Amino acid sequence: MDINDLNKKFKNVKAEEILKYFFEKYGNKVALSSSFGVEDQVLTHMMLSLDKKMNIFTLDTARLHPQTYSVMDATNLKYGVKVNVFFPDTDDVEKLYQSQGINGFYESIQNRKACCFTRKIKPLQRALSSLDVWITGLRASQSITRQNLSLIEYDEVNKVIKVNPLLHWSEDEIWDFIKKYKVPYNSLHDEGFPSIGCAPCTRAVESGADVRSGRWWWENPEHKECGLHIK
Ligand code: SF4
């Protein structure tokens, strides 16, 4: 079935059913990339409720908030799993440090992208290299850079089918789910962080502000993707 047909097939289908379809068809070749943000926690709960063998992985950039490690731990304990972790290559991180110092990402977009490439994109490519289907927690209303996404896409760069089961969920629906099923979530969300990435590149935002406005706040909105999600 091609991507257009899949989008038609799943247009009004619940997220759980979409996950079930891909798991039954692709088994361990389908995985969720989780940053332990609230959307990813919804998907984690859905997936591990369907089957404990469903594959969930995270990218540990070594610059995460302590609260993110706490929710990682709480998630592993609650569901009796060990989410897979992909770390950056040691040599790459050492070279990055030599070229731009420890916080060089504040100095230019070029430096920031180099840091994201080393700490996120290369480990992501490694994670995706053995997969056919990449599940994400992207939602259209999160930012101007995400409004034209489709439920199901083909990622030409990574050669995987990319599935965004929560694309049309509202923030309220996400939180209702979290509360209903008592899903562990990152305590930074209670401190005004709607979107949580690396500690030095994420900050709290005013209530009602663009969800991604606390990420790389020193850059223009058009640049606010780390390269993990490119159309
Ligand atoms: S979000 Fe910041 S610290 Fe994390 S990889 Fe990108 S530039 Fe580096």
Side-chain angles (χ1 to χ4, degrees):
M1 204 177 292
D2 76 10
I3 297 297
N4 286 338
D5 291 338
L6 285 169
N7 274 302
K8 278 186 207 143
K9 178 181 170 80
F10 292 115
K11 194 169 176 213
N12 294 312
V13 174
K14 286 166 77 175
E16 288 94 333
E17 293 301 314
I18 300 174
L19 293 168
K20 191 162 177 267
Y21 170 88
F22 282 100
F23 183 58
E24 282 173 356
K25 193 163 162 61
Y26 292 94
N28 63 4
K29 296 278 188 183
V30 50
L32 165 69
S33 60
S34 172
S35 63
F36 297 98
V38 71
E39 289 84 5
D40 296 331
Q41 290 302 94
V42 167
L43 290 170
T44 293
H45 180 90
M46 287 178 180
M47 290 171 69
L48 297 178
S49 301
L50 277 169
D51 197 311
K52 290 268 193 268
K53 293 196 290 298
M54 285 189 89
N55 186 356
I56 297 168
F57 71 87
T58 194
L59 308 174
D60 184 345
T61 62
R63 300 300 300 260
L64 302 177
H65 298 266
Q67 292 90 335
T68 302
Y69 294 107
S70 296
V71 76
M72 185 189 301
D73 202 32
T75 303
N76 284 344
L77 285 171
K78 178 177 168 80
Y79 298 100
V81 296
K82 221 173 234 160
V83 165
N84 295 313
V85 181
F86 287 81
F87 295 96
D89 178 87
T90 319
D91 288 347
D92 289 349
V93 175
E94 288 172 2
K95 281 186 197 132
L96 182 78
Y97 170 72
Q98 288 302 334
S99 79
Q100 61 171 248
I102 199 66
N103 285 338
F105 38 76
Y106 291 131
E107 287 162 20
S108 68
I109 289 174
Q110 192 185 10
N111 278 4
R112 199 271 288 167
K113 289 193 168 174
C115 185
C116 284
F117 183 76
T118 295
R119 294 180 185 275
K120 292 181 173 181
I121 297 173
K122 271 189 82 177
L124 176 74
Q125 288 171 342
R126 193 156 54 87
L128 294 179
S129 64
S130 61
L131 298 177
D132 290 331
V133 181
W134 175 18
I135 310 282
T136 87
L138 298 181
R139 288 191 301 113
S141 61
Q142 282 170 323
S143 76
I144 57 171
T145 57
R146 296 187 174 176
Q147 283 166 10
N148 296 324
L149 294 174
S150 301
L151 193 60
I152 296 159
E153 307 181 321
Y154 187 72
D155 181 328
E156 294 284 353
V157 177
N158 295 297
K159 309 284 180 229
V160 288
I161 298 170
K162 191 169 172 185
V163 183
N164 310 308
L166 304 181
L167 187 67
H168 302 301
W169 282 44
S170 67
E171 198 179 336
D172 285 349
E173 285 175 298
I174 295 287
W175 283 107
D176 287 348
F177 187 100
I178 293 284
K179 284 175 197 147
K180 182 173 178 185
Y181 295 104
K182 298 186 171 49
V183 180
Y185 67 89
N186 196 321
S187 60
L188 288 171
H189 289 305
D190 294 333
E191 296 173 31
F193 290 70
S195 172
I196 302 165
C198 294
C201 301
T202 311
R203 68 177 181 180
V205 301
E206 295 292 325
S207 172
D210 183 296
V211 170
R212 301 275 292 172
S213 59
R215 304 287 292 273
W216 309 293
W217 61 91
W218 62 95
E219 295 181 5
N220 292 329
E222 309 84 66
H223 298 129
K224 286 193 184 193
E225 293 291 352
C226 52
L228 296 188
H229 303 293
I230 320 165
K231 278 283 284 179

